[in-house]
Structure formats: structure tokens, C-alpha cells
């Protein structure tokens, strides 16, 4: 007779005791450790004892029939245990499969990350190499510039010495020019006075026809200290001839242009307000005058005595 998986056959001398089954039922011995079918699925031993007890209580004439029924029921119990065990194993396999798949995905992602990291490290290494080359090039350039700066420093030192000498020379020339300006100014003033007298004497006959004598022309200097008549601190110069309570305003120049006419007209009006005297005549005496200046004199009522009228 075959035994169920996980059990072994015992001798025919196995004894039963009154009041229930103390050992393994029906000539079957419980495996060591109380484990059921292979794989760890549990077996309900109380149920098996109950089934076998029913078979024992049956009459001897029905022993084989009852034993067959009992074995069938025992087989179903064992089958249910194995099915449960198989389901547990299937679930365990599914869990392990999912775990292995997740592990594989994680490893794949890790490999991809490591690959990208390797590429990044490679790019960084290349950049570092290029940077090192650039730094070396810049170092060479700095060294060359340092040499050039040293050379320029020497040249600057020489230029500084030359500039110092040139400064001393300029200062000496400045002092000489200042002295020359003083001398020229003195000569210019004397020349101006001499020119005025020369021009007045040259045209004395023409001036006499206008009613004035050149030897009686005097220089008038007006200082507007408080700015009442023109500008504060302004100094205005004009030649004046006075005779028989008649006043003539005169200005002598070598060349008379349009701006000179405008200024002479304005200056005469300023001095007229300052002195409170209206001139009989206003006369411009010159060696040369532009055409525009002569025309403007006619518009403003100014007498002009000149040697030549310039077209331009």
C-alpha cells in the first residue's frame, strides 16, 4: 500500500491506545519536526485523527471500505495542503520576479547614470586640458608683457628726465615771453598813440572841414565801477573834441569793419548817457574801411574818414 508524500510506513505492531490516537494514524508516522508536505505547507493533524477515528470505530466487515474512504479524505486534505503550498510558492515566485525586475531596472538606470557621468567626466577632463593649455599660453604672454613693461619702464624713465628738462625750458621761455609781452604792450600803447596822432594829422584838412581841430582831440576814459551805464568794472575809451560848447566823439583805427561800427555806435550812446552830453558829430577816422562798414556808418549817422574803401 502507498503512503502519502511526506509520510513513511511503520510496522504492523504499532499499538493503539484507548481514548484516541496518540501516535500517527493508520500506520503513518508524523515526520520529525511536525512538518507537513515538502515545501513547508502545513497539515491539519487534528482533522486527520478525526477521520481515522471514524474508520476505527467502524465494524470489521466494513473496514476496507471505511479505510478507502478515510484514505480518500486524507488524500484530499493532503492535496489541499499541496495546493496551498503551490499557491504560496507561486506568489513567492511573483514577488521574487517583481523584485528581480525592479532590481534590474535600478541596475539599468544606474548603468545609464554611470555612463552619463563618465561622459561628463570625460568632457570635464577635456575642458581642464584645454584650460591648462590656455593658462600656459597666458603665462607665456604675461611673461612677454612683463619683459615689455620693464623695457617701457626704462624708456619712461628717460622720457621723464627729458620732460623735466623740457619743463624747465618752457618755464624759462614763459618768463621770457611774459617780459616780451610787457615790452610789446608798452610799445603797442606808444604805437597806438602815435598812430592816432599820425592818422588825425593825415586827415586834418578833412577834419577841419567837419569843424574840428586834430590837435585839440583828447582821450576820454570811462570806468563803470558799479555797472550803471554798461557793465560793472567796464573800461571804455573814446577820443573827444570840445569847442564852443560843441562835442565830437571820435575813434581812430587802422581798419574799420562792420563790427567796429556797431561797437562805436553803442559806445557813443553809453558815454552820452554817462556824461549827459549829446555829441554834435560822431566820427570814425581810419586808413582803411570795408564797404559794409561805410554803408553802416551812413545808416547810423556816423561820419567816416578813410583813405581806402575795401570791397571785401
Amino acid at each position: 500500500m502507498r503512503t502519502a508524500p511526506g509520510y513513511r510506513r511503520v510496522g504492523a505492531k504499532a499499538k493503539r491506545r484507548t481514548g484516541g490516537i496518540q501516535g500517527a494514524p493508520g500506520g503513518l508516522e508524523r515526520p520529525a519536526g511536525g512538518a507537513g508536505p515538502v515545501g513547508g505547507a502545513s497539515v491539519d493533524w487534528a482533522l486527520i485523527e478525526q477521520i481515522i477515528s471514524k474508520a476505527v470505530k467502524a465494524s470489521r466487515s466494513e473496514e476496507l471500505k471505511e479505510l478507502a474512504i478515510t484514505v480518500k479524505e486524507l488524500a484530499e486534505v493532503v492535496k489541499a495542503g499541496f495546493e496551498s503550498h503551490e499557491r504560496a510558492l507561486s506568489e513567492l515566485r511573483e514577488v521574487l520576479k517583481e523584485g528581480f525586475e525592479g532590481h534590474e531596472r535600478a541596475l539599468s538606470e544606474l548603468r545609464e547614470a554611470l555612463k552619463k557621468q563618465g561622459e561628463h567626466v570625460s568632457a570635464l577632463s577635456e575642458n581642464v586640458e584645454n584650460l591648462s593649455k590656455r593658462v600656459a599660453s597666458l603665462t607665456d604672454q604675461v611673461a612677454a608683457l612683463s619683459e615689455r613693461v620693464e623695457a617701457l619702464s626704462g624708456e619712461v624713465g628717460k622720457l621723464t628726465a627729458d620732460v623735466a628738462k623740457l619743463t624747465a625750458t618752457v618755464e624759462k621761455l614763459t618768463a621770457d615771453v611774459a617780459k616780451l609781452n610787457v615790452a610789446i604792450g608798452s610799445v603797442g600803447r606808444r604805437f597806438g598813440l602815435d598812430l592816432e596822432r599820425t592818422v588825425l594829422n593825415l586827415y586834418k584838412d578833412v577834419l577841419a572841414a567837419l569843424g574840428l581841430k586834430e590837435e585839440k582831440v583828447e582821450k576820454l576814459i570811462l570806468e563803470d565801477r558799479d555797472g550803471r551805464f554798461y557793465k560793472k568794472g567796464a573800461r571804455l575809451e573814446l577820443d573827444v573834441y570840445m569847442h564852443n560848447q560843441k562835442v565830437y566823439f571820435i575813434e581812430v583805427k587802422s581798419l574799420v569793419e562792420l563790427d567796429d561800427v556797431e561797437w562805436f555806435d553803442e559806445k557813443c550812446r553809453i558815454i552820452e548817457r554817462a556824461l549827459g552830453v549829446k555829441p554834435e558829430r560822431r566820427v570814425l577816422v581810419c586808413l582803411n574801411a570795408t564797404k559794409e562798414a561805410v554803408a553802416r556808418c551812413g545808416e547810423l549817422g556816423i561820419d567816416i574818414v578813410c583813405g581806402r574803401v575795401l570791397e571785401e
Side-chain angles (χ1 to χ4, degrees):
M1 182 178 178
R2 293 184 180 180
T3 59
Y7 297 90
R8 64 187 175 84
R9 195 84 179 154
V10 296
K13 296 181 179 181
K15 304 294 183 179
R16 302 185 185 203
R17 294 184 183 180
T18 305
I21 298 175
Q22 300 298 324
L28 296 176
E29 184 177 295
R30 187 193 305 267
V38 179
S42 62
V43 177
D44 191 346
W45 285 103
L47 179 58
I48 294 174
E49 288 180 354
Q50 182 180 0
I51 295 170
I52 295 175
S53 294
K54 288 171 61 179
V56 171
K57 291 177 181 180
S59 63
R60 289 293 180 179
S61 60
E62 298 178 354
E63 183 175 357
L64 292 175
K65 181 179 180 181
E66 292 293 336
L67 182 59
I69 294 172
T70 301
V71 171
K72 180 180 179 182
E73 292 176 353
L74 181 59
E76 291 176 354
V77 172
V78 172
K79 179 181 178 182
F82 274 107
E83 289 176 351
S84 175
H85 176 69
E86 185 64 27
R87 285 195 300 271
L89 285 176
S90 177
E91 293 175 358
L92 180 58
R93 291 189 195 97
E94 190 67 25
V95 171
L96 289 175
K97 180 180 178 183
E98 293 178 357
F100 277 117
E101 289 177 351
H103 179 68
E104 185 63 27
R105 285 195 299 271
L107 285 177
S108 178
E109 293 175 357
L110 180 59
R111 291 190 196 97
E112 188 67 23
L114 289 175
K115 179 180 178 182
K116 292 181 179 178
Q117 185 71 18
E119 294 174 353
H120 184 60
V121 169
S122 177
L124 284 177
S125 299
E126 185 177 352
N127 291 336
V128 168
E129 184 178 357
N130 294 335
L131 183 60
S132 299
K133 293 179 181 179
R134 181 59 178 165
V135 169
S137 176
L138 289 176
T139 301
D140 295 339
Q141 294 179 20
V142 169
L145 286 175
S146 298
E147 295 177 358
R148 181 58 179 164
V149 167
E150 291 180 1
L152 289 175
S153 297
E155 295 178 3
V156 168
K158 294 179 182 179
L159 288 175
T160 301
D162 294 340
V163 169
K165 293 179 182 179
L166 182 60
T167 300
T169 302
V170 170
E171 290 177 353
K172 185 176 182 303
L173 288 175
T174 301
D176 294 341
V177 168
K179 294 177 181 178
L180 184 60
N181 285 337
V182 172
I184 291 176
S186 177
V187 172
R189 286 192 295 274
R190 289 196 300 270
F191 179 76
L193 293 174
D194 292 342
L195 177 63
E196 287 184 9
R197 290 299 173 185
T198 300
V199 173
L200 289 174
N201 184 60
L202 180 63
Y203 298 114
K204 62 180 180 181
D205 294 335
V206 178
L207 296 174
L210 296 175
L212 59 89
K213 296 181 180 181
E214 53 88 15
E215 66 272 11
K216 292 185 178 181
V217 175
E218 299 179 357
K219 178 71 67 178
L220 174 66
I221 299 175
L222 174 66
E223 293 184 2
D224 194 356
R225 296 180 180 178
D226 53 4
R228 290 173 55 194
F229 304 105
Y230 182 48
K231 295 180 181 178
K232 186 176 181 179
R235 179 185 174 92
L236 303 177
E237 295 184 8
L238 196 67
D239 294 325
V240 178
Y241 173 77
M242 302 180 65
H243 181 68
N244 293 332
Q245 298 182 349
K246 293 182 179 180
V247 179
Y248 293 79
F249 289 166
I250 306 168
E251 186 165 49
V252 180
K253 299 177 70 68
S254 61
L255 172 65
V256 173
E257 296 179 297
L258 183 60
D259 291 342
D260 299 321
V261 176
E262 299 292 350
W263 172 232
F264 177 66
D265 178 67
E266 183 178 357
K267 186 163 56 173
C268 289
R269 297 180 188 280
I270 294 170
I271 294 177
E272 181 180 340
R273 292 197 302 272
L275 299 179
V277 176
K278 185 174 182 61
E280 182 74 16
R281 288 180 180 274
R282 296 180 300 168
V283 183
L284 273 172
V285 183
C286 61
L287 296 176
N288 301 290
T290 63
K291 184 176 180 180
E292 293 81 2
V294 173
R296 186 57 176 160
C297 285
E299 295 172 357
L300 297 175
I302 298 173
D303 295 315
I304 182 168
V305 178
C306 64
R308 184 176 62 171
V309 176
L310 302 178
E311 295 295 329
E312 297 183 357

PDB file of all heavy atoms in Angstrom, residues 197 200 211-219 239-244 248 250:
ATOM      1  N   ARG A 197      47.665 159.875 -33.585  1.00  0.00           N
ATOM      2  CA  ARG A 197      48.103 161.251 -33.924  1.00  0.00           C
ATOM      3  C   ARG A 197      48.474 161.336 -35.387  1.00  0.00           C
ATOM      4  O   ARG A 197      48.190 162.361 -36.059  1.00  0.00           O
ATOM      5  CB  ARG A 197      49.308 161.648 -33.052  1.00  0.00           C
ATOM      6  CG  ARG A 197      48.949 161.864 -31.591  1.00  0.00           C
ATOM      7  CD  ARG A 197      47.932 162.989 -31.468  1.00  0.00           C
ATOM      8  NE  ARG A 197      47.430 163.116 -30.099  1.00  0.00           N
ATOM      9  CZ  ARG A 197      46.476 163.955 -29.755  1.00  0.00           C
ATOM     10  NH1 ARG A 197      45.863 164.698 -30.683  1.00  0.00           N
ATOM     11  NH2 ARG A 197      46.077 164.026 -28.506  1.00  0.00           N
ATOM     12  N   LEU A 200      45.198 161.318 -37.458  1.00  0.00           N
ATOM     13  CA  LEU A 200      44.487 162.582 -37.306  1.00  0.00           C
ATOM     14  C   LEU A 200      45.200 163.709 -38.054  1.00  0.00           C
ATOM     15  O   LEU A 200      44.544 164.557 -38.697  1.00  0.00           O
ATOM     16  CB  LEU A 200      44.369 162.944 -35.818  1.00  0.00           C
ATOM     17  CG  LEU A 200      43.404 162.076 -34.989  1.00  0.00           C
ATOM     18  CD1 LEU A 200      43.500 162.455 -33.515  1.00  0.00           C
ATOM     19  CD2 LEU A 200      41.971 162.260 -35.481  1.00  0.00           C
ATOM     20  N   GLY A 211      34.722 170.699 -38.872  1.00  0.00           N
ATOM     21  CA  GLY A 211      34.589 171.635 -37.763  1.00  0.00           C
ATOM     22  C   GLY A 211      35.407 171.295 -36.539  1.00  0.00           C
ATOM     23  O   GLY A 211      35.119 171.792 -35.445  1.00  0.00           O
ATOM     24  N   LEU A 212      36.470 170.462 -36.670  1.00  0.00           N
ATOM     25  CA  LEU A 212      37.289 170.133 -35.501  1.00  0.00           C
ATOM     26  C   LEU A 212      38.762 170.205 -35.869  1.00  0.00           C
ATOM     27  O   LEU A 212      39.142 170.044 -37.016  1.00  0.00           O
ATOM     28  CB  LEU A 212      36.922 168.750 -34.943  1.00  0.00           C
ATOM     29  CG  LEU A 212      37.051 167.534 -35.869  1.00  0.00           C
ATOM     30  CD1 LEU A 212      38.441 166.943 -35.783  1.00  0.00           C
ATOM     31  CD2 LEU A 212      36.022 166.482 -35.503  1.00  0.00           C
ATOM     32  N   LYS A 213      39.553 170.486 -34.828  1.00  0.00           N
ATOM     33  CA  LYS A 213      40.998 170.572 -34.995  1.00  0.00           C
ATOM     34  C   LYS A 213      41.646 169.363 -34.319  1.00  0.00           C
ATOM     35  O   LYS A 213      41.365 169.074 -33.164  1.00  0.00           O
ATOM     36  CB  LYS A 213      41.523 171.869 -34.386  1.00  0.00           C
ATOM     37  CG  LYS A 213      40.987 173.134 -35.078  1.00  0.00           C
ATOM     38  CD  LYS A 213      41.554 174.387 -34.441  1.00  0.00           C
ATOM     39  CE  LYS A 213      41.029 175.652 -35.131  1.00  0.00           C
ATOM     40  NZ  LYS A 213      41.591 176.885 -34.533  1.00  0.00           N
ATOM     41  N   GLU A 214      42.545 168.713 -35.054  1.00  0.00           N
ATOM     42  CA  GLU A 214      43.091 167.453 -34.579  1.00  0.00           C
ATOM     43  C   GLU A 214      43.952 167.637 -33.338  1.00  0.00           C
ATOM     44  O   GLU A 214      44.031 166.746 -32.498  1.00  0.00           O
ATOM     45  CB  GLU A 214      43.897 166.771 -35.681  1.00  0.00           C
ATOM     46  CG  GLU A 214      44.990 167.605 -36.351  1.00  0.00           C
ATOM     47  CD  GLU A 214      46.305 167.502 -35.606  1.00  0.00           C
ATOM     48  OE1 GLU A 214      46.449 166.583 -34.767  1.00  0.00           O
ATOM     49  OE2 GLU A 214      47.187 168.325 -35.851  1.00  0.00           O
ATOM     50  N   GLU A 215      44.563 168.799 -33.170  1.00  0.00           N
ATOM     51  CA  GLU A 215      45.438 168.983 -32.016  1.00  0.00           C
ATOM     52  C   GLU A 215      44.678 169.130 -30.706  1.00  0.00           C
ATOM     53  O   GLU A 215      45.257 169.028 -29.621  1.00  0.00           O
ATOM     54  CB  GLU A 215      46.362 170.190 -32.224  1.00  0.00           C
ATOM     55  CG  GLU A 215      45.648 171.527 -32.288  1.00  0.00           C
ATOM     56  CD  GLU A 215      45.191 171.896 -33.695  1.00  0.00           C
ATOM     57  OE1 GLU A 215      45.249 170.991 -34.565  1.00  0.00           O
ATOM     58  OE2 GLU A 215      44.811 173.049 -33.896  1.00  0.00           O
ATOM     59  N   LYS A 216      43.370 169.372 -30.807  1.00  0.00           N
ATOM     60  CA  LYS A 216      42.575 169.534 -29.599  1.00  0.00           C
ATOM     61  C   LYS A 216      41.753 168.284 -29.233  1.00  0.00           C
ATOM     62  O   LYS A 216      40.919 168.323 -28.341  1.00  0.00           O
ATOM     63  CB  LYS A 216      41.627 170.724 -29.757  1.00  0.00           C
ATOM     64  CG  LYS A 216      42.354 172.070 -29.818  1.00  0.00           C
ATOM     65  CD  LYS A 216      41.378 173.229 -29.841  1.00  0.00           C
ATOM     66  CE  LYS A 216      42.106 174.567 -29.842  1.00  0.00           C
ATOM     67  NZ  LYS A 216      41.169 175.698 -29.838  1.00  0.00           N
ATOM     68  N   VAL A 217      42.018 167.210 -29.946  1.00  0.00           N
ATOM     69  CA  VAL A 217      41.342 165.941 -29.629  1.00  0.00           C
ATOM     70  C   VAL A 217      42.012 165.331 -28.393  1.00  0.00           C
ATOM     71  O   VAL A 217      43.242 165.200 -28.340  1.00  0.00           O
ATOM     72  CB  VAL A 217      41.413 164.971 -30.811  1.00  0.00           C
ATOM     73  CG1 VAL A 217      40.825 163.618 -30.425  1.00  0.00           C
ATOM     74  CG2 VAL A 217      40.674 165.565 -32.017  1.00  0.00           C
ATOM     75  N   GLU A 218      41.194 164.963 -27.404  1.00  0.00           N
ATOM     76  CA  GLU A 218      41.710 164.396 -26.150  1.00  0.00           C
ATOM     77  C   GLU A 218      41.115 163.002 -25.903  1.00  0.00           C
ATOM     78  O   GLU A 218      40.016 162.681 -26.353  1.00  0.00           O
ATOM     79  CB  GLU A 218      41.360 165.324 -24.982  1.00  0.00           C
ATOM     80  CG  GLU A 218      41.974 166.724 -25.117  1.00  0.00           C
ATOM     81  CD  GLU A 218      41.587 167.630 -23.962  1.00  0.00           C
ATOM     82  OE1 GLU A 218      40.789 167.152 -23.096  1.00  0.00           O
ATOM     83  OE2 GLU A 218      42.054 168.778 -23.923  1.00  0.00           O
ATOM     84  N   LYS A 219      41.875 162.215 -25.133  1.00  0.00           N
ATOM     85  CA  LYS A 219      41.447 160.856 -24.818  1.00  0.00           C
ATOM     86  C   LYS A 219      40.526 160.873 -23.590  1.00  0.00           C
ATOM     87  O   LYS A 219      40.859 161.467 -22.576  1.00  0.00           O
ATOM     88  CB  LYS A 219      42.663 159.960 -24.532  1.00  0.00           C
ATOM     89  CG  LYS A 219      42.356 158.542 -24.154  1.00  0.00           C
ATOM     90  CD  LYS A 219      41.839 157.734 -25.342  1.00  0.00           C
ATOM     91  CE  LYS A 219      42.930 157.555 -26.385  1.00  0.00           C
ATOM     92  NZ  LYS A 219      42.469 156.738 -27.521  1.00  0.00           N
ATOM     93  N   ASP A 239      37.928 159.080 -28.038  1.00  0.00           N
ATOM     94  CA  ASP A 239      38.526 160.413 -28.270  1.00  0.00           C
ATOM     95  C   ASP A 239      37.398 161.447 -28.339  1.00  0.00           C
ATOM     96  O   ASP A 239      36.351 161.211 -28.952  1.00  0.00           O
ATOM     97  CB  ASP A 239      39.322 160.424 -29.571  1.00  0.00           C
ATOM     98  CG  ASP A 239      40.541 159.507 -29.483  1.00  0.00           C
ATOM     99  OD1 ASP A 239      41.118 159.429 -28.378  1.00  0.00           O
ATOM    100  OD2 ASP A 239      40.896 158.862 -30.491  1.00  0.00           O
ATOM    101  N   VAL A 240      37.648 162.590 -27.681  1.00  0.00           N
ATOM    102  CA  VAL A 240      36.620 163.630 -27.605  1.00  0.00           C
ATOM    103  C   VAL A 240      37.222 164.978 -28.027  1.00  0.00           C
ATOM    104  O   VAL A 240      38.352 165.329 -27.638  1.00  0.00           O
ATOM    105  CB  VAL A 240      36.057 163.735 -26.172  1.00  0.00           C
ATOM    106  CG1 VAL A 240      35.030 164.861 -26.103  1.00  0.00           C
ATOM    107  CG2 VAL A 240      35.436 162.416 -25.739  1.00  0.00           C
ATOM    108  N   TYR A 241      36.464 165.729 -28.819  1.00  0.00           N
ATOM    109  CA  TYR A 241      36.848 167.107 -29.196  1.00  0.00           C
ATOM    110  C   TYR A 241      35.738 168.030 -28.731  1.00  0.00           C
ATOM    111  O   TYR A 241      34.564 167.814 -29.054  1.00  0.00           O
ATOM    112  CB  TYR A 241      37.035 167.228 -30.711  1.00  0.00           C
ATOM    113  CG  TYR A 241      37.252 168.634 -31.175  1.00  0.00           C
ATOM    114  CD1 TYR A 241      38.493 169.264 -31.012  1.00  0.00           C
ATOM    115  CD2 TYR A 241      36.216 169.357 -31.784  1.00  0.00           C
ATOM    116  CE1 TYR A 241      38.686 170.560 -31.437  1.00  0.00           C
ATOM    117  CE2 TYR A 241      36.408 170.655 -32.221  1.00  0.00           C
ATOM    118  CZ  TYR A 241      37.644 171.253 -32.041  1.00  0.00           C
ATOM    119  OH  TYR A 241      37.831 172.547 -32.454  1.00  0.00           O
ATOM    120  N   MET A 242      36.114 169.049 -27.953  1.00  0.00           N
ATOM    121  CA  MET A 242      35.131 170.013 -27.426  1.00  0.00           C
ATOM    122  C   MET A 242      35.567 171.424 -27.819  1.00  0.00           C
ATOM    123  O   MET A 242      36.720 171.826 -27.612  1.00  0.00           O
ATOM    124  CB  MET A 242      35.039 169.890 -25.893  1.00  0.00           C
ATOM    125  CG  MET A 242      34.653 168.496 -25.413  1.00  0.00           C
ATOM    126  SD  MET A 242      34.540 168.348 -23.608  1.00  0.00           S
ATOM    127  CE  MET A 242      33.161 169.459 -23.297  1.00  0.00           C
ATOM    128  N   HIS A 243      34.610 172.195 -28.410  1.00  0.00           N
ATOM    129  CA  HIS A 243      34.892 173.573 -28.833  1.00  0.00           C
ATOM    130  C   HIS A 243      33.572 174.319 -28.997  1.00  0.00           C
ATOM    131  O   HIS A 243      32.643 173.799 -29.618  1.00  0.00           O
ATOM    132  CB  HIS A 243      35.670 173.581 -30.154  1.00  0.00           C
ATOM    133  CG  HIS A 243      36.022 174.949 -30.629  1.00  0.00           C
ATOM    134  ND1 HIS A 243      36.937 175.753 -29.972  1.00  0.00           N
ATOM    135  CD2 HIS A 243      35.591 175.664 -31.712  1.00  0.00           C
ATOM    136  CE1 HIS A 243      37.055 176.897 -30.612  1.00  0.00           C
ATOM    137  NE2 HIS A 243      36.234 176.879 -31.694  1.00  0.00           N
ATOM    138  N   ASN A 244      33.552 175.484 -28.388  1.00  0.00           N
ATOM    139  CA  ASN A 244      32.355 176.335 -28.467  1.00  0.00           C
ATOM    140  C   ASN A 244      31.095 175.545 -28.066  1.00  0.00           C
ATOM    141  O   ASN A 244      30.060 175.618 -28.753  1.00  0.00           O
ATOM    142  CB  ASN A 244      32.188 176.905 -29.879  1.00  0.00           C
ATOM    143  CG  ASN A 244      33.304 177.886 -30.232  1.00  0.00           C
ATOM    144  OD1 ASN A 244      33.881 178.533 -29.333  1.00  0.00           O
ATOM    145  ND2 ASN A 244      33.631 177.986 -31.518  1.00  0.00           N
ATOM    146  N   TYR A 248      32.424 166.462 -30.006  1.00  0.00           N
ATOM    147  CA  TYR A 248      32.572 165.468 -31.056  1.00  0.00           C
ATOM    148  C   TYR A 248      33.130 164.170 -30.423  1.00  0.00           C
ATOM    149  O   TYR A 248      34.105 164.222 -29.679  1.00  0.00           O
ATOM    150  CB  TYR A 248      33.547 165.959 -32.147  1.00  0.00           C
ATOM    151  CG  TYR A 248      33.040 167.137 -32.930  1.00  0.00           C
ATOM    152  CD1 TYR A 248      33.102 168.429 -32.391  1.00  0.00           C
ATOM    153  CD2 TYR A 248      32.549 166.979 -34.224  1.00  0.00           C
ATOM    154  CE1 TYR A 248      32.659 169.514 -33.105  1.00  0.00           C
ATOM    155  CE2 TYR A 248      32.106 168.054 -34.951  1.00  0.00           C
ATOM    156  CZ  TYR A 248      32.166 169.329 -34.384  1.00  0.00           C
ATOM    157  OH  TYR A 248      31.715 170.397 -35.096  1.00  0.00           O
ATOM    158  N   ILE A 250      35.060 160.789 -31.251  1.00  0.00           N
ATOM    159  CA  ILE A 250      35.946 160.352 -32.332  1.00  0.00           C
ATOM    160  C   ILE A 250      36.634 159.047 -31.925  1.00  0.00           C
ATOM    161  O   ILE A 250      36.975 158.845 -30.756  1.00  0.00           O
ATOM    162  CB  ILE A 250      37.017 161.423 -32.622  1.00  0.00           C
ATOM    163  CG1 ILE A 250      36.347 162.774 -32.895  1.00  0.00           C
ATOM    164  CG2 ILE A 250      37.909 161.011 -33.789  1.00  0.00           C
ATOM    165  CD1 ILE A 250      37.321 163.931 -32.911  1.00  0.00           C
TER     166      ILE A 250
END
